[in-house]
Amino acid sequence: MIILKNEREAQGMRLAGGVASIVLKELCSWVNPGMSTRDIDEYAATRIKHYGGKSAFLGYKKYPCHVCLSVNEEVVHGMASDRKIQFGDIISIDVGVVFEGFIGDNARTVSVGGCDLKAQKLMDVTERSLHEGIAQAVAGNRVVDISRAVQTYVEKHGFSVVREFVGHGVGRTMHEEPQVPNFVDGKSSAKLRPGMTLAIEPMVNAGGAAVQILRDGWTVVTKDKQPSAHFEHTVLITESEPEILTRPENCRTVTESV
Ligand code: MF3
Ligand code: CO
């Protein structure tokens, strides 16, 4: 069942999206060579708390960290550890927060001090593929229109989309219907209606699409060890243009202080 949000609930989703995005923004500008992914996770915990939120990931199916930190060939669900990030690495940061009962979910990949051109292109194409998908998130379209837009854009640039992990509806719980694949899976897909809130999240590999899960039970890596990037926004379907909910301007603290 797809849960449509009324205007009051949409406002709740905006606030949660605001906290999720401002924390993500802070983490992205904070990363530097030499810090461990545990340092970043601890910083994330303090920033989420600062804005009055809670991690949506910590404890979810026993996930032990506040945010997901996935380095280079890690695709998603990387876990905080003593691993130090180095100049030239790319790191995907996925932040999901609960704020006043609603969840905002967003992610982006950044370089650690800079990276090679291929990794930069991978990040750029992944981010643009997210926006190609968002552009299709309009009432009357179907979920598959989002999927197709992402896949077409990614493959046109010679990269591949991950099949095993997909975007999702999001609201008071992190994973609601419908699933939002980043490829055309040939199944029937739901019609988009005003009030739907979707986490659209392309995971894009520089090499092949194949992934595997490490023995820690969480970390997803590319089979060919080539790098992967991940961008995500929580989006509201409206009567007109799609509305990105995960925007720093939606954070109450930020709005009130200007
Ligand atoms: N953005 C991811 C998702 O929607 C993050 C989940 S991490 C988990 O599935 F640890 F909470 F599973
Ligand atoms: Co998500």
Side-chain angles (χ1 to χ4, degrees), residues 107-193:
R108 70 165 37 242
T109 306
V110 291
S111 68
V112 181
C115 61
D116 64 36
L117 276 174
K118 179 153 188 205
Q120 186 60 53
K121 184 182 168 203
L122 174 68
M123 294 190 291
D124 292 345
V125 166
T126 308
E127 182 168 22
R128 282 190 254 124
S129 79
L130 168 60
H131 289 282
E132 293 285 313
I134 292 172
Q136 296 302 316
V138 291
N141 271 0
R142 289 184 182 275
V143 172
V144 69
D145 294 307
I146 299 172
S147 309
R148 188 185 307 104
V150 171
Q151 179 176 23
T152 303
Y153 190 83
V154 167
E155 292 179 354
K156 188 170 88 186
H157 290 87
F159 298 135
S160 43
V161 292
V162 172
R163 304 320 203 239
E164 288 86 344
F165 298 87
V166 297
H168 50 93
V170 56
R172 290 187 179 274
T173 57
M174 187 160 63
H175 294 142
E176 295 181 352
E177 284 181 30
Q179 293 201 339
V180 186
N182 298 301
F183 64 104
V184 178
D185 62 5
K187 298 181 195 154
S188 70
S189 77
K191 204 172 229 168
L192 301 176
R193 294 180 193 285

Side-chain angles (χ1 to χ4, degrees), residues 57 77 94-96 103-107 166-170 174-175 198-201 203 230 232-234:
F57 301 166
H77 304 168
D94 191 344
V95 177
I103 292 176
D105 192 5
N106 64 2
V166 297
H168 50 93
V170 56
M174 187 160 63
H175 294 142
L198 304 177
I200 304 175
E201 50 177 319
M203 288 144 264
H230 179 209
E232 175 179 31
H233 271 305
T234 302

Side-chain angles (χ1 to χ4, degrees), residues 47-70:
R47 297 316 294 161
I48 293 170
K49 196 167 173 203
H50 170 86
Y51 292 106
K54 273 180 57 180
S55 166
F57 301 166
L58 182 67
Y60 177 84
K61 294 185 182 167
K62 302 208 175 127
Y63 186 74
C65 311
H66 297 85
V67 294
C68 299
L69 300 163
S70 309

